[in-house]
Amino acid sequence: IVILFAIIGGNYKLLLNYFNDKQEEKMIQEFYQDDLSNEKTEQENIENETENAQAENKKSNYVAVLKINKINLVRGLVDESSYLNNVKYNVQIIKGSNMPDVVGGNLILAAHSGNARISYFRNLNKLEIGDEATVDYKDKTYTYKVVNIYDVDKNGKVEIKRNLSKTTLTLITCRHNTEKQIVMILELV
């Protein structure tokens, strides 16, 4: 009986992770479908208003999608004011960040590293100078290149060393088994 429960428990986690992955894929697809639906004509929007209002509650609240191909990361980003904008649930947009369309701005993202389900930046340490990341935001893809990588003490504060005249993306996570955090500065290409 103990072995049976162990097998069921192990498979339950696998099954739960599978369904969570499928839900994430669905929400990212909805994000892109929402972008396409913004291109509908006004008449189409009027005709579908009731249908869209009912479906709105079921749609993702993603405002952007982060993609880093080198580490196989595709993750939706929620609005900064959402309770889901927290490293406990997602890749977090840090308060005070600018979205990619702000010239000279800095989008600052943080996520867990490690082995947990929510460790979205678990492979961030594999990135090197010159590697790329993209952020899809408001029907446009913003491409960034890594220009600086450095560690800081893990104390709740991070000094961001970047060129203020450039539009940047900053990625922050913990370095495995240390009291340090990795900070990556990427500049808009």
Side-chain angles (χ1 to χ4, degrees):
I1 293 175
V2 171
I3 294 171
L4 179 63
F5 281 121
I7 291 170
I8 291 171
N11 288 332
Y12 173 76
K13 271 187 134 176
L14 289 174
L15 192 59
L16 183 63
N17 286 343
Y18 172 80
F19 285 118
N20 284 337
D21 289 344
K22 290 298 178 189
Q23 181 65 24
E24 175 65 13
E25 288 173 15
K26 180 182 174 188
M27 291 187 331
I28 287 173
Q29 287 175 349
E30 288 173 354
F31 170 82
Y32 289 111
Q33 287 172 352
D34 286 347
D35 283 351
L36 291 175
S37 70
N38 289 337
E39 297 172 5
K40 289 182 179 179
T41 65
E42 188 173 330
Q43 181 61 32
E44 287 174 314
N45 285 334
I46 291 169
E47 291 171 3
N48 294 318
E49 188 173 324
T50 303
E51 188 177 307
N52 288 341
Q54 291 171 348
E56 188 63 33
N57 291 331
K58 297 177 185 175
K59 290 186 178 180
S60 70
N61 292 324
Y62 290 154
V63 295
V65 173
L66 171 67
K67 294 180 186 176
I68 307 175
N69 291 335
K70 183 174 182 178
I71 59 173
N72 297 316
L73 176 68
V74 177
R75 187 70 192 167
L77 306 175
V78 297
D79 186 81
E80 189 179 328
S81 64
S82 170
Y83 77 95
L84 293 172
N85 184 47
N86 188 306
V87 293
K88 294 178 185 177
Y89 309 111
N90 208 342
V91 174
Q92 180 178 357
I93 301 172
I94 301 299
K95 186 177 181 176
S97 289
N98 306 109
M99 293 311 282
D101 59 346
V102 176
V103 176
N106 186 19
L107 175 58
I108 308 167
L109 304 177
H112 284 297
S113 60
N115 297 320
R117 169 109 181 101
I118 58 169
S119 300
Y120 300 113
F121 282 180
R122 72 176 52 92
N123 293 317
L124 196 66
N125 62 326
K126 294 179 181 179
L127 294 182
E128 301 170 336
I129 302 293
D131 288 338
E132 291 187 350
T134 62
V135 176
D136 293 329
Y137 177 69
K138 290 188 176 179
D139 301 324
K140 187 172 178 186
T141 299
Y142 297 86
T143 302
Y144 299 86
K145 274 196 179 184
V146 177
V147 296
N148 193 8
I149 303 170
Y150 57 95
D151 287 0
V152 295
D153 290 333
K154 187 177 175 183
N155 62 13
K157 296 180 182 179
V158 173
E159 180 183 354
I160 297 175
K161 302 171 187 174
R162 71 181 192 98
N163 183 338
L164 297 176
S165 67
K166 303 278 187 171
T167 303
T168 56
L169 169 66
T170 301
L171 307 175
I172 303 169
T173 195
C174 296
R175 187 167 291 281
H176 300 288
N177 301 319
T178 70
E179 290 299 315
K180 299 283 187 181
Q181 289 181 301
I182 302 168
V183 180
M184 294 197 174
I185 306 297
L186 296 88
E187 292 180 352
L188 188 64
V189 180

